[in-house]
Each structure stands twice: as structure tokens, then as C-alpha cells.
Amino acid sequence: MRRPPNALTVDVEEYFQVEAVAHRVHRDEWDRLESRVAMQTATLLDLFAREGVRATFFTLGWVARRQPALIRRIVAEGHELACHGDGHRMITQMSPESFREDIRRAKGTLEQLGGVAVRGYRAPTFSVVERTRWALDTLRDEGFTYDASIFPIRHDRYGIPDAPRRPHVIEHGPGAGIVEFPSSTLQVLGRNVPVGGGGYLRLLPMAYTLMALDAIAGEGPFMAYLHPWEIDPRQPRFGLSRGATLRSYHNLDQMLPRLTTLLHRYPFDTAAAALRALALLPDEAASAAAPLPA
């Protein structure tokens, strides 16, 4: 039996929208700062085209309204267009009412510009945590069929450590009926440790990443993720604390080579394709190219 592909995912946001710089850059300044997301994402699209792989692009509505040509290119090249919220607000910073407004606006923007149904969602900063599980009900009610927001680790900003590690249908409680594709972890001495995405791919030794992904690949598909700003060592930088500087800027020049290594070593496709291969999503709900109803 053929193994399901692993999920290759990109969170499409600007370098100045990262939570680590939120205290340095006010939202009113966003439109006055240099935009680099289209250039960064185009570099990733070029790489994926050369390697013959598809990815899921969890995209901010804010970015989509300013970069409509980028949205059209993502869809035209066969990738999955998915939702990263509208204004990159963590769910922990929103009420249920404002969260519904945020995802409704973002989903509408993406579907209008991309001309495809948007079924997947990932929260900014993985902010579906224990106290925001209610958001899963809202996602389901607003037409999303899968979520990729839960990170089953302990972290200072996010995580549900005891959440299931593998893709699954939520059977009971908040979000019952929605599919969850958690970010990938390796179990070490009974504790989940992160692997294969974002800062973990940049900061941790590549030998660890490959060892860990080899181990969990046998359990089923894993999730790789990154942000376009993570491949851009020339981006403007902000004065941050030592820890935040390390998380945000270390090894930016190594991200593309490391990502390319993963693309050569493992089979990848969209998150929706991986979930379809697991029979967790029906084809009509998960197709990245499904047209909108007339």
C-alpha cells in the first residue's frame, strides 16, 4: 500500500507581522513598511515548481488583499489555498464574535481572489490552545473542514501537550466533526518534542531533524511548515530581546538549503492531499482546486 504524502505548508505573512515583533510594530504602521512577502513567496513557488511538489499556503486575508496576483499564482500552479486568519491576531486575543468576523472576512477574501473553496485553517502562532478550543466549533460552522492549529507540545505561547499527535477526526467536544492535522512531534522519554517546521527547522541541528522525521514518517504523514520571511536574510530587522532575536533571525540563510534537503528526501503534497490519502477528508471537501458554487 502506498504511503500517504507528507504535508508541505507555508504560512503567508509579512516579516513585520510576527508575534515576536508585535510590541515593536503597531498595526497602523503595517502599510508604511516595506512589503517583501510577494518576493519571498515567489522564491518558494519557484523552488516547488522545480522540485515538482505542491504545498498548502495558509494565507492572511490582509496579505491577499494587497497581493492578489500572488493568490492567483498559488492557485494557478496547483497549490492549496488555505486560511491563516485575516489580521494575524492570536485567537487568545479575540472574543468568539471577533474571531468569527476575522475568519469570515479572510475566507471570503481568499475565495473571491482565488476562485476556489477554502477548507483549511491554521491559527496565527498556533493559538488554538486549551482555553480557545471553542474556536474549532466556529471553524466548522464557517465551512472549514480541517484545522492545522494544534501543536501537541509545551511552549510559552502555544501548545496542547496531551493532544493527539497524528491527524484525526475530532469525535467529541469542541470542533466535533472537524479534522485536525497537528504539527509534527517526536516522542522522547514520554514527552513530545517539535520537529520539521519554522524555527525548529532553522534552529535545531539538521541531523536531529532528519533523524526525527525518519522516525515519525513510519507512523504516518508528518507536517513541515515555514514562513516566507524565514528564507530572507536581507529582511529589515527589529531590535528584540536576545531570545526573540535568536528565534526570529538565526539561520535565515540556511532555511532554503534545509528545505531543499527535505524536498529531496521525502514525498510531499498539500495538507488536504495527505488527509485525503488517510481517508480523513472526502475528495469533494478537500480538493485544493474545487471551484466555488455558482
Side-chain angles (χ1 to χ4, degrees), residues 175-282:
I178 201 168
V179 176
E180 181 63 38
F181 199 148
S183 291
S184 295
T185 59
L186 177 70
Q187 280 198 320
V188 179
L189 300 176
R191 182 173 180 175
N192 298 337
V193 294
V195 60
Y200 307 113
L201 181 55
R202 283 186 291 112
L203 300 176
L204 299 176
M206 195 61 178
Y208 159 77
T209 296
L210 297 179
M211 176 276 295
L213 292 180
D214 284 349
I216 65 175
E219 303 174 9
F222 61 77
M223 171 93 71
Y225 72 90
L226 74 154
H227 306 82
W229 55 265
E230 290 187 281
I231 67 166
D232 183 11
R234 296 181 179 275
Q235 67 186 270
R237 301 193 180 194
F238 302 95
L240 305 174
S241 68
R242 182 176 299 179
T245 295
L246 181 71
R247 286 183 184 182
S248 301
Y249 302 132
H250 187 63
N251 276 347
L252 293 177
D253 60 339
Q254 294 300 307
M255 191 57 142
L256 270 180
R258 291 185 177 203
L259 176 61
T260 303
T261 295
L262 297 190
L263 297 183
H264 289 171
R265 190 178 182 100
Y266 306 104
F268 283 104
D269 206 329
T270 66
L275 293 172
R276 286 200 306 273
L278 292 171
L280 291 175
L281 284 180

Side-chain angles (χ1 to χ4, degrees), residues 73-225:
R73 180 180 174 186
I74 288 170
V75 173
E77 296 188 6
H79 301 286
E80 180 187 12
L81 183 63
C83 182
H84 195 38
D86 198 72
H88 207 267
R89 290 188 187 276
M90 294 175 64
I91 303 176
T92 51
Q93 300 169 352
M94 291 189 282
S95 68
E97 293 76 18
S98 60
F99 174 67
R100 187 182 297 274
E101 292 171 3
D102 181 90
I103 61 171
R104 186 175 288 177
R105 186 182 190 201
K107 191 173 190 287
T109 294
L110 294 168
E111 291 182 337
Q112 179 183 21
L113 293 174
V116 294
V118 170
R119 304 298 191 188
Y121 173 81
R122 174 177 286 151
T125 320
F126 299 105
S127 52
V128 173
V129 295
E130 197 62 57
R131 65 189 174 97
T132 58
R133 282 185 184 266
W134 53 262
L136 297 171
D137 282 335
T138 308
L139 290 172
R140 181 199 58 214
D141 295 346
E142 290 297 320
F144 292 93
T145 55
Y146 79 89
D147 174 66
S149 304
I150 294 178
F151 217 139
I153 62 170
R154 296 187 185 280
H155 189 276
D156 58 349
R157 285 203 185 106
Y158 53 78
I160 303 178
D162 60 351
R165 296 176 53 244
R166 311 306 306 166
H168 61 283
V169 178
I170 297 175
E171 300 286 355
H172 308 287
I178 201 168
V179 176
E180 181 63 38
F181 199 148
S183 291
S184 295
T185 59
L186 177 70
Q187 280 198 320
V188 179
L189 300 176
R191 182 173 180 175
N192 298 337
V193 294
V195 60
Y200 307 113
L201 181 55
R202 283 186 291 112
L203 300 176
L204 299 176
M206 195 61 178
Y208 159 77
T209 296
L210 297 179
M211 176 276 295
L213 292 180
D214 284 349
I216 65 175
E219 303 174 9
F222 61 77
M223 171 93 71
Y225 72 90

Side-chain angles (χ1 to χ4, degrees), residues 30-52:
W30 284 2
D31 276 319
R32 297 197 295 271
L33 294 172
E34 176 192 4
S35 175
R36 298 179 68 84
V37 70
M39 173 270 293
Q40 297 160 347
T41 308
T43 299
L44 290 173
L45 287 166
D46 290 344
L47 171 63
F48 298 163
R50 290 194 300 271
E51 299 298 333

Side-chain angles (χ1 to χ4, degrees), residues 16-34:
F16 49 76
Q17 294 172 321
V18 181
E19 189 62 27
V21 306
H23 66 293
R24 300 297 307 271
V25 181
H26 193 273
R27 290 173 178 271
D28 291 345
E29 301 177 73
W30 284 2
D31 276 319
R32 297 197 295 271
L33 294 172
E34 176 192 4

